[in-house]
Amino acid sequence: MIDLESLFKLSYGMYILSSKKDGSFSGCIVNTVFQLIPEPPMLAVSLNKDCLTHRYISESRVFSVSILAEDTPVPFIGRFGFRSGRDINKFEKLNCRTGQTGVPIVLENTVAFLEAEVTGSVDTITHTLFIAKIVSCETLDETRPPMTYAYYRDIKHGKTPKSAATYVKTKPKTDLKEMQKGAKMKKYKCLMCSYIYDPAVGDPDGDIKPGTAFEDLPDNWVCPECGAAKDEFEPVED
């Protein structure tokens, strides 16, 4: 028996992984960053090959990791986790600085950061495991605890993009009566990414059952595609 939801019991953090290429910056949310050895201090990070940040790291061989605080707003995470740097400048108007390797370091909502140089990589089918030597690190705020993936998922009810190394497709719950009831309800469109919330389908990954009206979604529900809040949606005209 293989119950993939058992993987949710593994412990992870929440980080912004950033890199550079030809004077441009790219960054995304990752949760699989871990230390390998203490001396010299080395770490590894798993990143989907389709991510723009993957291309930047592959070419520049440098990156930074900003460790997010537990109270980081979900929309802030959505900006880096559900939007592509091909479409928006994720670093615009953010509190950032340039590290010693030239990569951007996000300081906003960050308790500490690491800066590293890639020394090797492992191909893992859809992802690459980048192995790197830490060249700089600093604690920015001792008072705020770092966010764990479990806290993001279970307390903040955050979503996991399909490109994430830890994405697990949840088991859909089919209820014909609820789906039929939902089909009569109004759909809503996300103004950030154009995702359509369909009450007939609900949001299985967010434990929202079919037949749940948009108005009845929890106040902390966010767009499954880009992390936008409920007030970033508008009704879809019939």
Side-chain angles (χ1 to χ4, degrees), residues 8-190:
F8 290 140
K9 303 304 180 184
L10 290 172
S11 182
Y12 306 93
M14 292 292 287
Y15 319 99
I16 295 177
L17 180 70
S18 306
S19 190
K20 65 172 184 176
K21 174 181 173 291
D22 300 331
S24 297
F25 295 153
S26 181
C28 63
I29 292 289
V30 294
N31 54 21
T32 45
V33 178
F34 52 95
Q35 185 177 351
L36 291 173
I37 58 174
E39 189 58 42
M42 298 188 69
L43 55 79
V45 57
S46 178
L47 186 60
N48 191 292
K49 295 177 182 178
D50 291 334
C51 290
L52 183 63
T53 307
H54 183 283
R55 185 195 307 172
Y56 281 35
I57 294 176
S58 296
E59 296 194 20
S60 69
R61 311 298 286 175
V62 289
F63 63 82
S64 70
V65 176
S66 295
I67 303 172
L68 294 179
E70 191 173 76
D71 57 358
T72 301
V74 169
F76 181 86
I77 296 173
R79 177 175 185 165
F80 279 90
F82 293 89
R83 307 294 302 278
S84 172
R86 300 176 179 91
D87 303 322
I88 67 168
N89 179 1
K90 299 182 182 182
F91 298 89
E92 187 176 13
K93 298 180 180 179
L94 284 188
N95 182 14
C96 302
R97 81 184 191 205
T98 302
Q100 67 182 49
T101 63
V103 298
I105 298 171
V106 177
L107 304 177
E108 200 165 326
N109 296 307
T110 297
V111 298
F113 71 83
L114 314 169
E115 197 175 353
E117 296 176 344
V118 175
T119 60
S121 61
V122 179
D123 187 304
T124 56
I125 307 176
T126 58
H127 290 62
T128 297
L129 185 69
F130 289 106
I131 299 168
K133 180 176 68 174
I134 298 173
V135 297
S136 173
C137 54
E138 182 181 341
T139 298
L140 302 177
D141 193 336
E142 291 276 10
T143 65
R144 300 165 74 188
M147 183 187 298
T148 64
Y149 175 60
Y151 186 92
Y152 168 72
R153 174 182 165 83
D154 298 335
I155 306 301
K156 299 182 83 71
H157 302 287
K159 307 297 190 298
T160 302
K162 294 181 180 179
S163 61
T166 57
Y167 175 77
V168 176
K169 186 175 182 179
T170 55
K171 300 170 185 176
K173 301 173 182 178
T174 304
D175 187 321
L176 186 57
K177 280 188 178 180
E178 294 300 322
M179 292 180 70
Q180 290 173 338
K181 181 176 74 173
K184 302 174 184 177
M185 299 174 183
K186 188 173 285 292
K187 299 177 183 178
Y188 279 72
K189 182 171 105 173
C190 177

Side-chain angles (χ1 to χ4, degrees), residues 204-218:
D205 286 344
D207 294 326
I208 303 299
K209 298 178 181 179
T212 303
F214 184 83
E215 295 82 359
D216 295 333
L217 292 172

